[in-house]
Structure formats: structure tokens, C-alpha cells
Amino acid sequence: MLSFHLGWAIKAHVTRVDTHVYWTADRLLRWDDLAPGPLKKQKQTLPFFKHDYSCDVLTFNELRRELVLEVSTTDPEDLVYLNEYQEKHADSPKSIDPYVYVHKVENNEVKFDVNFWGYKYELKDLTLTNEEFQLFTKRLNPSVVLAEYWDSLGPLFEKFHIALKNVNMSASLKTRLEKELTSVRMTSNYESACRSFSALLETYIRELKSTNNWKGSDGDLGSLIGVLKANGNPPQSLMSLLQIVGKPTRDHFNHGNTLPDEAAKVVAMSCLSIFLMMFETYG
């Protein structure tokens, strides 16, 4: 069946509210049937995730604003609280930084995970049709990474190794990057690699700041990303990757926390891609 003007949203079932919201969700679909004959509108409700997912109220409210059409609660007072919170924060800017990792696309279905706040809140093993996934990402506007890209690391490592020889940076930084590249290829320890690459990225931006006399704070990675954005006219694709790296660095590494292996791999490889894009942009 072809579909046209597909309507897609979430129905949230809230089981408990304390400092966090605990909830499950269904998908609400409406579409127009383009089969021969009179135009027919059809509706369907399907599971989205059935395990109790928890996130803070701010995250739930932003998801409600972008994706959730209906909310039901076990305790009526919880619905009153959530509605009051929604009304009070109706004009708050978006801040949850969604990130989607696509595992597989086959048989008109997309299997993926979605994370918010630099992997602080994670929803795993979700499945949507291709059409639903397009609407989901259009509304949520996340950074999206395909597993097939990250699983093909050999060419990325080789491209980075070649580019590093010709880039204009200090010899000591080149040596440290080469050493870390060799380490991650031999050990696949992405947790260690993403910490090291994040620190080396800070060093590289500081070198660019000094060389080009850029104005701005010479602080942590977040501050330096701001300096790059204000002075270096970076492409949007580069800024999107920097957001993937900046959040975990601020929310996890700087507080002595760790990332799941899969997330650490994405951050480490994002760092390599950032370096490559910066090599091409700034020489």
C-alpha cells in the first residue's frame, strides 16, 4: 500500500512521576490510502517501546512538544503536574541534543537507538518504517549516524594517517595523534581513544586560534568550539559533528564518568572525522 500525507505521533503512557518521568509509548499513525477507489483515511496504533523508559521532566516536555500527541497517566495528579510544566515552559528553547544511531535499514524498516543530553538518556532497539523514521527525524531534528559508516573504519584510519602527514600543525601534536591512532587500531579501546582525541582536539583548536589570531576564550572544548564557530566560518556539517563530541566531553569525561562501548566508538570516530574536515578547511 502506498501512503500519502502520513501522520505520525506518539501516545505516552506515564506510570510514575518523581524527579523523572517513567513511561511507555505507542505510535499513532494516520494515512491516506491511495489504492484504487475513493480516498480513504485510515488510523492505526502500534507499539513503539513497552519497557518503562525514564528521563527528567525537561526531556519529557521537549519530546512532548515535538513528538507526543497524547498523554495518559496512572495518577491523575501526574497529568496535572506535566500539563502545568508544559504551559510554564512553552517558550523554552530546545536543549536535549538528540542523536540517532541507525543499526540497520531493511524491508522498509529502520532499526535504531536514540540518545539525549550526550547519552544521558538512551532509548535502544527502536523500529520504525522508512516513512515514520523520516517524520520522526524531521520533527526531532537529531544528528544521525549510520552503522555501516562506522563499521568501515579501515579506510577512515588510512585517510586520517595520510592527511596527518600534510597538515600544518605542531610536530608534537602530530606525534600524539599518530600514537593514539595506532593505539585505537591495535586495541579497539574506544573509551580511551575518545577521551584522548577530545583532548587533542582542544589542543588543535588552540593552535588554530593562536595561528590565526582568533578572538575568544581559551577555555575548555565547549569554549573553543565557540571560538571556532565565531571566527573560523566552519561548515554546518563540522558543527554537527562537534556537537556529538562536545556533549559527552562536558557531561561524562569531565566528571570522571564513562560511555557505553558503542557510544564511545561513535565519539572517537566523530573526532577523527572532525580532524579530517578541519584539515581540509583550515589546512
Side-chain angles (χ1 to χ4, degrees):
M1 178 179 64
L2 298 174
S3 62
F4 158 82
H5 289 165
L6 175 69
W8 186 91
I10 288 176
K11 181 176 182 179
H13 309 277
V14 177
T15 57
R16 180 160 57 99
V17 178
D18 45 36
T19 58
H20 286 62
V21 181
Y22 300 81
W23 56 296
T24 62
D26 290 327
R27 299 135 61 196
L28 302 176
L29 283 73
R30 181 193 60 76
W31 67 92
D32 298 332
D33 187 349
L34 294 186
L39 188 66
K40 302 182 291 294
K41 293 186 181 297
Q42 302 190 24
K43 296 181 180 180
Q44 192 172 17
T45 301
L46 298 171
F48 190 34
F49 56 89
K50 284 300 182 187
H51 57 284
D52 250 8
Y53 173 64
S54 66
C55 60
D56 62 14
V57 181
L58 187 155
T59 302
F60 179 83
N61 189 62
E62 289 204 25
L63 291 174
R64 185 178 184 183
R65 180 166 55 183
E66 301 299 329
L67 300 173
V68 178
L69 182 65
E70 299 180 18
V71 177
S72 64
T73 60
T74 303
D75 186 340
E77 291 186 4
D78 288 340
L79 184 58
V80 173
Y81 169 73
L82 293 172
N83 287 342
E84 289 176 348
Y85 188 96
Q86 181 185 45
E87 183 177 353
K88 182 178 179 181
H89 296 86
D91 298 324
S92 299
K94 297 180 181 179
S95 59
I96 57 176
D97 293 329
Y99 161 77
V100 168
Y101 183 91
V102 177
H103 294 281
K104 186 180 295 186
V105 181
E106 64 179 5
N107 299 325
N108 195 41
E109 287 188 338
V110 182
K111 300 182 184 300
F112 64 100
D113 302 336
V114 59
N115 303 275
F116 309 101
W117 294 101
Y119 310 97
K120 184 176 182 180
Y121 300 116
E122 183 176 37
L123 269 169
K124 296 180 69 68
D125 301 322
L126 302 176
T127 301
L128 294 174
T129 66
N130 288 345
E131 287 179 303
E132 289 179 81
F133 183 77
Q134 290 176 16
L135 290 171
F136 173 81
T137 53
K138 183 178 181 180
R139 290 188 180 184
L140 198 57
N141 193 28
S143 300
V144 179
V145 174
L146 300 178
E148 290 82 358
Y149 176 76
W150 299 115
D151 289 340
S152 303
L153 300 182
L156 180 63
F157 285 144
E158 189 60 29
K159 184 177 181 180
F160 184 86
H161 178 74
I162 294 172
L164 191 58
K165 294 180 179 180
N166 302 313
V167 72
N168 182 23
M169 67 167 52
S170 66
S172 62
L173 181 54
K174 280 189 179 182
T175 300
R176 293 166 64 192
L177 280 167
E178 283 280 13
K179 182 179 179 181
E180 194 56 48
L181 183 66
T182 301
S183 175
V184 70
R185 295 184 72 169
M186 292 179 62
T187 66
S188 296
N189 186 340
Y190 294 102
E191 170 71 25
S192 173
C194 61
R195 290 175 182 272
S196 298
F197 283 141
S198 296
L200 293 172
L201 182 59
E202 285 189 30
T203 302
Y204 181 44
I205 299 177
R206 284 194 181 95
E207 287 193 1
L208 288 173
K209 179 176 181 288
S210 176
T211 301
N212 295 283
N213 294 316
W214 288 344
K215 297 180 180 180
S217 173
D218 190 17
D220 59 11
L221 181 58
S223 299
L224 289 165
I225 290 173
V227 169
L228 180 69
K229 182 178 181 180
N231 297 271
N233 192 28
Q236 183 56 49
S237 54
L238 174 57
M239 291 305 302
S240 295
L241 282 174
L242 284 167
Q243 289 175 3
I244 292 177
V245 172
K247 268 289 186 179
T249 299
R250 188 188 73 188
D251 295 344
H252 291 268
F253 308 148
N254 290 352
H255 296 282
N257 299 321
T258 61
L259 284 176
D261 289 343
E262 187 176 274
K265 181 178 181 180
V266 170
V267 174
M269 296 305 100
S270 295
C271 283
L272 287 183
S273 296
I274 287 169
F275 275 114
L276 284 170
M277 294 181 70
M278 292 180 68
F279 294 167
E280 294 174 2
T281 304
Y282 306 111

